[in-house]
Amino acid sequence: MAAEDESVVPTMADVARLAGVSASTVSYALTGARPISAATRERIQHAMDDLGYTPNAFARGLKSKRSRLIALLFPRGGRDLGLSTFEYILGASDHAQELGYHLLLWTTEAEALDELARLAGQGLVDGALLMEVRLRDRRLAVLRKAGLPFAMIGRTADPGTLDFADTDFDQCARLAVDHLAGLGHRRLGFVNLDASAIAAGRGNAIRLRDGVLRAAAASQVQITTLTCESSIGGGRGALAELLARDAAATAVIAFNEQAVPGIMSAATDRGLRIPADFSVLSIDMPAQAALMTTPTMTTVGPTAAVMGRAATAMLIERVEGGTSGATQMLFDGELVLRESTGPASDHDTA
């Protein structure tokens, strides 16, 4: 076994080079995120032993130029965090720790560019993960100027050579609309995030809205789109607005986890039984939240924690110099059937 040079801290990229694999393969071998052959796993283990590499190298990182801290940039906007947001964060944090890094949650607003520049320029963090990504996100220019590596959970309008993990919103929209159309629903509502998210250019809200409109046109169903405050009261108001605009609507697709209980309670107050008279489907609602609604919520979406882990792996691979080209991943959604969707009621006369 080679003697370890205490002045040089081996990296995951060093292990990858010695083992003759990519840094992402080393990451997968360490985390079990993807199947790795026994022979490849053995080569990686031998390389780690030879280099003296350990994924839990936070203390040893003090000898290097790295802090082994990464910042997760989540502009909270004064709102409460939904369970789906926590799943992204926990997935990212867990994987960072598995790779010997720790996650710093940075909730400063996206417009606070001077504060971000100070964070990026102080050498306190090795890289940044961006959430709530806008189609034109000014944070990117700040991070580029500071030379700080970053990856995105989400993506800009033209991500080019940027690293990102994002939901395939067109695919999710088709799954949701096709499911409801297949049940005979011809008049749908789409309850999005609040109007400020659209005005700010939030990529997820805009991409999903546009995807739902395309899917509705392809399935020849009518759809009414609304923005909604992320609260129970917002959901109640959204259901009232939907039925005021289209009294014959029999189903709603919601991209607003915190508004869903309000949508459901408002429907019940109007004498609409879910799903006998009215169906509700939620996009990007984690299983834990879906199982807490009554009836339980039919959902479409990928697993947020898996996306958080993927983006973290991209970032750390970038920090450790193990990649040159962009790593870009779109995650398909899965339709999980529960109790909140059913065949269209007789009053759908379209």
Side-chain angles (χ1 to χ4, degrees):
M1 181 180 295
E4 183 180 352
D5 181 353
E6 291 294 333
S7 66
V8 179
V9 178
T11 68
M12 188 163 58
D14 297 327
V15 174
R17 280 191 289 271
L18 186 58
V21 298
S22 69
S24 59
T25 300
V26 176
S27 172
Y28 299 144
L30 291 171
T31 64
R34 290 187 184 176
I36 301 296
S37 71
T40 300
R41 191 180 298 276
E42 186 175 356
R43 290 206 316 274
I44 291 170
Q45 186 61 57
H46 283 318
M48 290 171 60
D49 291 342
D50 287 346
L51 292 169
Y53 175 83
T54 173
N56 297 314
F58 178 73
R60 294 170 64 217
L62 296 176
K63 300 176 183 177
S64 72
K65 295 181 180 179
R66 298 197 184 104
S67 67
R68 306 197 78 81
L69 291 173
I70 58 176
L72 190 149
L73 309 182
F74 180 82
R76 183 177 168 217
R79 65 190 185 281
D80 294 332
L81 303 186
L83 287 176
S84 61
T85 299
F86 277 115
E87 284 209 350
Y88 287 110
I89 294 171
L90 291 176
S93 179
D94 288 347
H95 195 43
Q97 290 184 62
E98 289 163 359
L99 298 178
Y101 287 75
H102 289 264
L103 193 74
L104 168 69
L105 180 60
W106 180 263
T107 58
T108 304
E109 290 311 301
E111 295 81 8
L113 301 179
D114 289 343
E115 291 186 39
L116 178 58
R118 283 193 289 273
L119 172 71
Q122 288 174 346
L124 298 177
V125 297
D126 294 334
L129 282 175
L130 283 77
M131 290 185 66
E132 309 284 273
V133 179
R134 302 178 177 190
L135 295 179
R136 293 172 179 79
D137 201 312
R138 297 170 63 198
R139 293 176 295 177
L140 273 57
V142 174
L143 297 174
R144 283 196 186 103
K145 183 176 180 180
L148 188 70
F150 63 89
M152 299 180 290
I153 302 175
R155 67 195 193 277
T156 57
D158 180 13
T161 59
L162 301 178
D163 298 327
F164 71 78
D166 199 9
T167 299
D168 187 336
F169 289 106
D170 278 329
Q171 184 263 353
C172 288
R174 289 193 301 271
L175 268 184
V177 171
D178 289 352
H179 170 62
L180 293 173
L183 291 171
H185 296 279
R186 313 308 300 170
R187 305 174 80 95
L188 312 177
F190 173 61
V191 176
N192 205 343
L193 300 178
D194 61 38
S196 64
I198 305 298
R202 281 267 300 278
N204 55 356
I206 293 171
R207 282 193 170 95
L208 183 57
R209 178 201 64 192
D210 295 348
V212 165
L213 290 172
R214 285 189 290 268
S219 295
Q220 297 184 318
V221 299
Q222 178 175 318
I223 192 153
T224 302
T225 64
L226 309 93
T227 58
C228 176
E229 179 187 332
S230 296
S231 66
I232 291 174
R236 294 183 65 86
L239 191 280
E241 181 181 353
L242 169 62
L243 296 181
R245 292 168 59 180
D246 183 5
T250 59
V252 68
I253 297 169
F255 183 52
N256 194 321
E257 174 191 328
Q258 291 164 299
V260 165
I263 294 170
M264 298 178 79
S265 65
T268 300
D269 288 349
R270 290 171 174 260
L272 297 173
R273 297 166 299 165
I274 299 173
D277 303 314
F278 195 81
S279 287
V280 183
L281 181 152
S282 187
I283 292 180
D284 199 28
M285 174 182 277
Q288 182 181 357
L291 293 172
M292 289 192 294
T293 65
T294 304
T296 58
M297 181 62 49
T298 293
T299 59
V300 168
T303 303
V306 172
M307 289 177 56
R309 293 174 70 88
T312 300
M314 293 175 194
L315 174 60
I316 291 176
E317 188 169 358
R318 180 72 62 185
V319 166
E320 297 193 347
T323 185
S324 54
T327 304
Q328 300 180 338
M329 300 176 67
L330 282 180
F331 287 78
D332 286 346
E334 177 187 4
L335 172 65
V336 180
L337 297 176
R338 296 191 181 91
E339 301 168 339
S340 65
T341 55
S345 63
D346 292 339
H347 80 267
D348 187 356
T349 57

